[in-house]
Amino acid sequence: ASKIRIGIVGYGNLGRGVQASIAQNEDMELVAVFTRRDPSQMPAEAGVKFEHVSTVEQYKGSIDVMILCGGSATDLPEQTPAIAALFNTVDSFDTHAKIPEFFASVDAAAKNGQTVSVISTGWDPGLFSMNRLLAESILPQGKEYTFWGKGVSQGHSDAIRRVPGVKAGVQYTVPVESVIEQIRSGETPELATREKHERICYVVAEEGADRAEIEKTIVEMPNYFADYDTTVHFITEEELKSEHSGMPHGGFVIRSGVTGQGTKQIVEFSLKLESNPEFTASVLTAYARAAVRLAKEGAVGAKTVFDIPLGYLSAKSDAELRQQLL
Ligand code: API
């Protein structure tokens, strides 16, 4: 069979992760990486063909799916609809509150272009969303909890880096351990957002920037920080580099439910990730395979993880998968 021809849009941590993931999948090949930077200035040792993002249209017919590796705050709301008009796409849009409007704009573009666009995949939203739905469908009587971290949220780090006066920064999501123990032991406490996690930011301010103003903007930011207890530490660029350059993350989804006459049933799915972007990239790559298969079957429009059969993520045939049922 011929390989799935993939394009990557954006070459940050996520884009490099996708490149590495494609190399691990024999049914895939990387055609080109599209960047907003000057392609001639991109690292030759990366071993890929770089193109300016304005040239994507020339690749219509020679790329089966584009994996979009931009950020959710400003890149993807523009990029996904624009590219979905021309190609099948996969992205990791993760601003939870804005997913409905994002879906609507991408769906319209993809239907116009007769393409399939898988939105908001990754692990949360993505694998965690699937596991919440799975457990809730099986145990309608119960309570569900999601805990993240301790780890670096790419979404929240990206959000703080966009605050005026911020030169660089990272955000750690820190779960409240005491409530986790309660839940694992079968209790089902009612918890407010701020009782489950705290958020700790390490920020490098630009020279002369108003630190109090930066801190206020971060702490009060809607969707990202307003509902949490957030701490902002100002540090030097050197310290950021030496102490905070890793990108670990993870967490778990747990549902504590009852069946019959109050029989306790607990379902848990957890991730421990040394590199959040490399893992997220690997999820995107698997969904790229599904997007191509859906498009071949004549599907069009925006899709989420809920719309896609699990078997479509696999390179194996349906018959091979049936052998894996037990
Ligand atoms: C957090 C999670 C992270 C989800 C994973 C991914 C990211 O608060 O740490 O941005 O890294 N919402 N969407």
Side-chain angles (χ1 to χ4, degrees):
S2 58
K3 294 194 178 198
I4 299 170
R5 300 166 301 173
I6 300 180
I8 295 174
V9 180
Y11 201 61
N13 293 316
L14 198 55
R16 286 193 296 274
V18 171
Q19 180 186 4
S21 174
I22 292 170
Q24 292 183 333
N25 285 287
E26 282 176 13
D27 61 329
M28 300 180 173
E29 66 184 348
L30 176 56
V31 176
V33 172
F34 300 88
T35 172
R36 281 178 300 210
R37 289 174 269 176
D38 176 353
S40 70
Q41 300 301 306
M42 298 299 285
E45 66 276 12
V48 292
K49 181 171 179 190
F50 288 103
E51 290 279 20
H52 193 263
V53 69
S54 61
T55 69
V56 285
E57 198 158 358
Q58 295 167 20
Y59 281 82
K60 213 171 148 51
S62 45
I63 284 180
D64 299 311
V65 55
M66 290 282 198
I67 302 184
L68 309 182
C69 300
S72 297
T74 58
D75 300 334
L76 296 174
E78 275 187 35
Q79 241 169 43
T80 306
I83 296 185
L86 300 165
F87 298 92
N88 300 314
T89 68
V90 180
D91 71 47
S92 58
F93 183 77
D94 70 351
T95 313
H96 295 241
K98 293 192 175 154
I99 290 176
E101 59 181 280
F102 183 73
F103 179 91
S105 99
V106 174
D107 191 49
K111 281 184 174 146
N112 243 327
Q114 297 285 294
T115 63
V116 170
S117 187
V118 180
I119 67 154
S120 300
T121 183
W123 57 277
D124 200 3
L127 306 186
F128 276 18
S129 325
M130 292 163 76
N131 280 277
R132 285 187 288 257
L133 182 61
L134 182 63
E136 160 195 309
S137 307
I138 295 165
L139 297 173
Q141 274 189 35
K143 222 169 144 24
E144 144 214 308
Y145 302 88
T146 297
F147 286 93
W148 304 295
K150 182 188 176 183
V152 176
S153 166
Q154 300 300 313
H156 294 80
S157 298
D158 185 55
I160 60 176
R161 288 191 288 261
R162 284 163 196 276
V163 170
V166 171
K167 192 168 180 191
V170 295
Q171 188 267 185
Y172 291 88
T173 312
V174 184
V176 177
E177 293 295 337
S178 56
V179 299
I180 295 178
E181 279 161 40
Q182 255 183 298
I183 295 163
R184 282 204 171 123
S185 72
E187 289 176 49
T188 53
E190 206 57 63
L191 297 170
T193 301
R194 71 178 69 245
E195 293 176 291
K196 288 184 280 184
H197 300 92
E198 58 175 314
R199 299 198 174 276
I200 302 179
C201 307
Y202 292 91
V203 174
V204 180
E206 273 163 11
E207 189 115 336
D210 181 344
R211 295 185 173 197
E213 187 60 34
I214 291 174
E215 182 174 347
K216 187 172 181 305
T217 309
I218 293 174
V219 168
E220 293 178 356
M221 195 185 297
N223 300 327
Y224 288 96
F225 295 102
D227 300 332
Y228 298 87
D229 290 332
T230 302
T231 316
V232 179
H233 298 284
F234 289 94
I235 60 170
T236 63
E237 218 163 356
E238 294 69 45
E239 190 179 341
L240 186 79
K241 245 187 141 175
S242 64
E243 305 298 319
H244 305 288
S245 53
M247 289 174 282
H249 212 342
F252 61 96
V253 170
I254 186 164
R255 187 168 185 89
S256 188
V258 289
T259 56
Q261 307 303 110
T263 314
K264 272 193 180 147
Q265 319 275 19
I266 296 182
V267 181
E268 186 171 332
F269 175 77
S270 90
L271 294 172
K272 292 174 197 71
L273 310 174
E274 261 187 48
S275 165
N276 176 6
E278 280 183 24
F279 183 80
T280 301
S282 300
V283 179
L284 289 174
T285 304
Y287 275 97
R289 183 182 287 121
V292 172
R293 178 156 168 196
L294 282 165
K296 280 206 178 116
E297 291 176 353
V300 292
K303 308 284 172 197
T304 73
V305 292
F306 299 146
D307 306 315
I308 297 173
L310 195 52
Y312 283 32
L313 305 188
S314 175
K316 293 177 181 164
S317 70
D318 293 351
E320 284 173 301
L321 290 177
R322 279 190 291 275
Q323 304 232 314
Q324 260 175 245
L325 279 170
L326 51 126

